[in-house]
Amino acid sequence: MQDDKIISLSQISPYMSVLLCETKNKSYALDDTVIQFWNWIDDFKDGSNYSENSQYYESNGDVESLMVRLYTYQLDKKPSWWQLSPNSNLEQHVAIFIQYGSFVAIHFSQGELKEKLRKALIKTNYFSNLRPVSLATLNDLFINEEDIRTLWMQSVSGNSPFMPKSKTIGGEELADKLDPIVDQFFMMSAVRTKSENETSVGINPFKSVIWKGKCGSWSSFENQVVEILDKLNRSVTRRKKPISILAYPIDDITDLQGYYDFSLIDKDFIPEECVQDRELIENIESEFVIVPSTSPSSILNGCVVSIDILESSNKVAVLTAYPEIEDYSISFTKISVTELSKNKNKNKFRRVERLFSHYPHLIKCWYESGHSIIGGLAFENEYRDVVFDGFIWHGFSRYSVIKEKPGSDPRRPDFSLIGRDDSLFSWVRLNWNSAWMEKNGCFSDNQKGWFFCDDGSGEIADFIHMRKKDDVYYISLIHVKAAGSDRKERKLSVGVFDTVVAQAVKNMRHVRRKNLYEELKGRGSLSKKKCWFDNQEMNPEDFLLELNTIKESQTKYKVIVIQPHITKNSYNDGFDTKIRKQLDAVLVNAKNAINGLSADFYVVGSE
């Protein structure tokens, strides 16, 4: 360090944006952090050259026990647009460290350095006595839902068709403008709120950052920082949820209790550029079916994830994994696979193991405690007390609720058997009626109208049923999903609905953007599809011709999900449980989305 180069504070007027940190013990010394910082800079460099230029020390100033360390430095790096050497950009930057009591504020004019340092505080050994201020602390002290003026939010539903990945809202009294049904599936990423002195302050609790804007002088910057640090030192309470409607990430794995459900991200919702993610899901689903485990190992620990791996409907292995949280990110450890039969291929389950070890963001889990793991984070949701009123109950007698498609191999269904075996596809083919106004009219022993099987890549639905009545064409888009178990005592499940409901919403939106005829016509030949009219097998092209004669104003759509995993008893008995609230929230959200597209939404479950 160069002690001889001192600069005047009158020359400094920083942008007020600081990383907030908490000291770990009473023996903390700010100068130790400064030394550790420069050691860290020397080691990581990030392809740039850092050279310390000058430094300024102040031990107290106007505030007793205030410690300030300020350094200017030069950053020498190659321009991003320049491919040759040795041309470079020479940037002048400042690093400021301010300690007051048990807290430290750190400012860098080099903006990206704050987040890099925050991660280094958590994940490296460079900084032994300092940690970022927690999300809960910042939420508690600086965010009041009554004072929020701008709110940045991110979806906690993965890549869902229900809602955007992120959104921003602004205005007065924002807490009253949040939708209790839709916005419970969002988390706060940042806010701009009114502070105690009526000025505007921005807070990003995830990044442990508070910002206000450009300061006119050093004294203005210092006073604002001291105000923040003083508030942190006086804090005694911890309020995790300043905005009650939203979901909140957690940083303590012990909060997760009662694992009960599991699902994978739908490959159709994975961005095209994420090729490895999509290929992994496709490869796993082409070989196995994965369901929440019914093995005793699944209850060894409240948070442990346990899945059954099925091959051709037979359980061939059980995998268990323990979730851990670091910096709010989920990882899985102690991954163990127990094979239930002799297997010559030692790498048979390698992809499933790799899913947990390297791709936790593709996994969804639900807990009876009301928590969920989605997108590589663990969340706590305060689910609203809403009830889904679109259930239709049926006995499914003579049909297998765990057999979705006809044929002996579910990966290679035999569609010639539709209507002639015990699969759910056959049940739909022989029992569904679209032209009804009351729920008790949805089943029919003598099916009338057009019935088109659209199962396959790019499908609109598994089945499309259309029947004309009183000059109205009633069209049902039917999505079929087999139950995860045929045991009478099977539990409620969110996972069995997660993918099929998301697909139903996505496809209904697609139909509304184009129309049904244009969508099917764009596929080319439909000759391999199965089609019936009034119970007689027909050429699917005839169905397309009929669609072309219909005006959109003549149609009335219904979106139907057939999912017999849910039973009437389990749903009614689950009243007032968090599992029931999780399920109702998902289904009501889907219903609202589909109703917004001028269609009705129903779920057929087991009587």
Side-chain angles (χ1 to χ4, degrees):
M1 295 183 186
Q2 305 172 26
D3 297 329
D4 57 329
K5 292 188 177 181
I6 308 298
I7 61 175
S8 170
L9 289 181
S10 64
Q11 300 172 299
I12 304 294
S13 57
Y15 185 95
M16 216 307 284
S17 175
V18 291
L19 170 66
L20 298 172
C21 303
E22 183 176 6
T23 62
K24 292 182 180 180
N25 53 57
K26 294 181 179 180
S27 63
Y28 172 81
L30 183 62
D31 289 329
D32 290 341
T33 292
V34 173
I35 293 171
Q36 292 162 356
F37 168 75
W38 288 112
N39 289 338
W40 171 67
I41 285 289
D42 287 340
D43 284 348
F44 99 88
K45 288 192 181 298
D46 197 25
S48 305
N49 293 317
Y50 291 79
S51 57
E52 185 184 343
N53 187 35
S54 41
Q55 58 180 312
Y56 175 85
Y57 288 78
E58 181 177 334
S59 59
N60 46 25
D62 296 331
V63 181
E64 186 179 353
S65 76
L66 182 69
M67 302 284 291
V68 178
R69 302 292 183 265
L70 182 150
Y71 303 89
T72 61
Y73 62 92
Q74 293 180 344
L75 178 62
D76 188 2
K77 62 181 182 180
K78 187 173 70 172
S80 60
W81 49 268
W82 190 262
Q83 298 300 315
L84 302 177
S85 198
N87 286 48
S88 64
N89 274 342
L90 189 62
E91 299 176 0
Q92 303 292 338
H93 287 289
V94 64
I96 303 171
F97 302 81
I98 301 179
Q99 180 189 359
Y100 182 51
S102 300
F103 293 87
V104 176
I106 302 174
H107 168 84
F108 299 114
S109 58
Q110 182 187 350
E112 70 273 13
L113 210 54
K114 282 198 297 290
E115 177 59 10
K116 291 177 180 177
L117 178 60
R118 189 190 70 84
K119 290 182 177 179
L121 290 171
I122 297 169
K123 299 183 178 182
T124 72
N125 297 320
Y126 283 98
F127 304 92
S128 55
N129 293 319
L130 204 62
R131 61 175 168 241
V133 171
S134 71
L135 179 147
T137 299
L138 294 178
N139 283 345
D140 173 39
L141 292 178
F142 298 99
I143 302 176
N144 185 321
E145 63 182 0
E146 303 299 328
D147 297 326
I148 293 173
R149 297 296 178 263
T150 308
L151 177 60
W152 289 267
M153 295 181 286
Q154 290 182 320
S155 170
V156 302
S157 297
N159 293 316
S160 169
F162 289 67
M163 57 199 72
K165 293 182 67 175
S166 63
K167 64 180 180 179
T168 303
I169 60 173
E172 301 288 327
E173 300 177 346
L174 285 187
D176 296 332
K177 296 178 175 65
L178 294 174
D179 187 317
I181 302 301
V182 174
D183 289 330
Q184 65 183 319
F185 293 96
F186 282 86
M187 70 176 181
M188 173 184 66
S189 56
V191 300
R192 197 168 256 289
T193 185
K194 183 175 65 176
S195 64
E196 292 176 349
N197 59 9
E198 299 298 317
T199 60
S200 177
V201 58
I203 304 159
N204 188 330
F206 273 105
K207 308 290 187 182
S208 303
V209 167
I210 288 183
W211 78 93
K212 286 193 174 183
K214 178 70 174 176
C215 296
S217 65
W218 168 263
S219 60
S220 174
F221 173 81
E222 182 184 273
N223 290 340
Q224 291 183 50
V225 172
V226 169
E227 180 185 317
I228 292 169
L229 296 179
D230 181 55
K231 194 168 186 176
L232 286 167
N233 279 292
R234 290 186 286 109
S235 169
V236 291
T237 61
R238 290 291 181 269
R239 178 170 46 91
K240 292 183 178 180
K241 301 178 180 180
I243 308 174
S244 56
I245 286 176
L246 302 181
Y248 283 88
I250 62 171
D251 60 358
D252 186 355
I253 202 67
T254 59
D255 291 343
L256 274 66
Q257 293 295 322
Y259 160 79
Y260 76 91
D261 215 347
F262 178 92
S263 179
L264 296 178
I265 293 286
D266 188 337
K267 64 180 183 296
D268 290 337
F269 301 138
I270 297 175
E272 291 184 3
E273 62 270 20
C274 301
V275 177
Q276 290 184 329
D277 291 5
R278 182 184 291 270
E279 287 181 348
L280 180 63
I281 295 293
E282 287 177 345
N283 288 331
I284 290 174
E285 292 183 341
S286 67
E287 190 171 5
F288 304 115
V289 172
I290 295 177
V291 297
S293 181
T294 57
S295 304
S297 60
S298 65
I299 58 172
L300 289 176
N301 184 301
C303 69
V304 68
V305 174
S306 183
I307 59 172
D308 291 344
I309 303 173
L310 281 62
E311 186 177 31
S312 299
S313 302
N314 298 314
K315 185 162 73 171
V316 293
V318 177
L319 181 147
T320 58
Y322 288 73
E324 292 186 353
I325 301 178
E326 182 181 55
D327 192 22
Y328 296 97
S329 294
I330 286 285
S331 61
F332 289 95
T333 62
K334 301 179 184 177
I335 302 168
S336 174
V337 174
T338 302
E339 298 186 29
L340 304 182
S341 59
K342 291 183 178 180
N343 175 36
K344 295 180 180 180
N345 183 359
K346 295 182 179 180
N347 296 318
K348 185 176 182 65
F349 305 106
R350 181 179 59 82
R351 287 195 181 101
V352 184
E353 293 179 78
R354 189 168 175 79
L355 172 73
F356 281 85
S357 62
H358 290 77
Y359 298 85
H361 58 284
L362 300 179
I363 290 171
K364 293 185 177 184
C365 302
W366 291 268
Y367 292 81
E368 293 179 1
S369 56
H371 296 86
S372 56
I373 293 176
I374 298 174
L377 298 172
F379 295 97
E380 180 179 5
N381 297 75
E382 288 294 335
Y383 292 100
R384 306 297 104 184
D385 288 324
V386 295
V387 177
F388 177 66
D389 60 0
F391 280 113
I392 300 171
W393 306 107
H394 189 75
F396 293 99
S397 58
R398 302 190 305 277
Y399 293 90
S400 172
V401 296
I402 60 173
K403 185 176 181 180
E404 184 174 314
K405 302 176 183 182
S408 57
D409 187 346
R411 292 171 296 183
R412 298 175 181 82
D414 184 353
F415 293 122
S416 67
L417 295 177
I418 292 178
R420 295 190 288 147
D421 75 342
D422 62 348
S423 68
L424 292 175
F425 269 41
S426 290
W427 177 86
V428 175
R429 161 70 185 84
L430 296 176
N431 290 274
W432 189 256
N433 170 41
S434 290
W436 51 274
M437 302 303 293
E438 301 295 333
K439 291 180 184 179
N440 58 10
C442 67
F443 306 120
S444 173
D445 293 333
N446 183 24
Q447 192 177 82
K448 297 293 184 180
W450 290 95
F451 203 81
F452 176 72
C453 179
D454 193 35
D455 181 78
S457 178
E459 67 183 39
I460 293 173
D462 291 313
F463 291 100
I464 300 170
H465 183 229
M466 182 176 73
R467 183 180 177 187
K468 183 180 180 181
K469 183 178 181 182
D470 299 331
D471 294 325
V472 175
Y473 287 86
Y474 293 88
I475 301 174
S476 295
L477 306 182
I478 305 170
H479 302 262
V480 184
K481 196 71 174 176
S485 167
D486 57 359
R487 295 181 303 159
K488 290 184 178 180
E489 66 276 13
R490 55 187 180 269
K491 295 175 64 174
L492 287 178
S493 170
V494 178
V496 297
F497 286 98
D498 182 63
T499 299
V500 67
V501 167
Q503 197 73 51
V505 174
K506 175 188 173 185
N507 291 356
M508 186 65 219
R509 283 182 173 160
H510 199 66
V511 167
R512 281 306 192 193
R513 282 198 302 268
K514 297 183 72 172
N515 84 37
L516 193 55
Y517 169 75
E518 293 294 338
E519 174 63 22
L520 292 175
K521 180 183 176 183
R523 305 260 195 89
S525 176
L526 300 178
S527 60
K528 295 183 179 180
K529 301 286 188 177
K530 289 290 183 179
C531 185
W532 300 262
F533 179 73
D534 286 354
N535 279 314
Q536 300 297 314
E537 192 158 353
M538 301 288 289
N539 185 334
E541 297 293 340
D542 293 336
F543 174 57
L544 198 61
L545 292 174
E546 179 73 11
L547 278 177
N548 195 30
T549 66
I550 300 173
K551 296 179 180 179
E552 193 69 20
S553 59
Q554 295 177 281
T555 61
K556 184 173 180 57
Y557 279 92
K558 295 183 178 73
V559 176
I560 310 296
V561 169
I562 312 293
Q563 178 44 282
H565 184 95
I566 187 168
T567 67
K568 187 176 182 178
N569 285 340
S570 67
Y571 182 74
N572 290 337
D573 292 345
F575 179 75
D576 207 31
T577 65
K578 290 189 175 181
I579 299 177
R580 162 79 178 265
K581 289 180 179 179
Q582 287 174 322
L583 178 59
D584 276 332
V586 169
L587 295 179
V588 169
N589 205 26
K591 178 184 176 182
N592 290 344
I594 291 171
N595 289 167
L597 297 167
S598 301
D600 296 325
F601 177 58
Y602 296 94
V603 172
V604 180
S606 296
E607 182 74 59

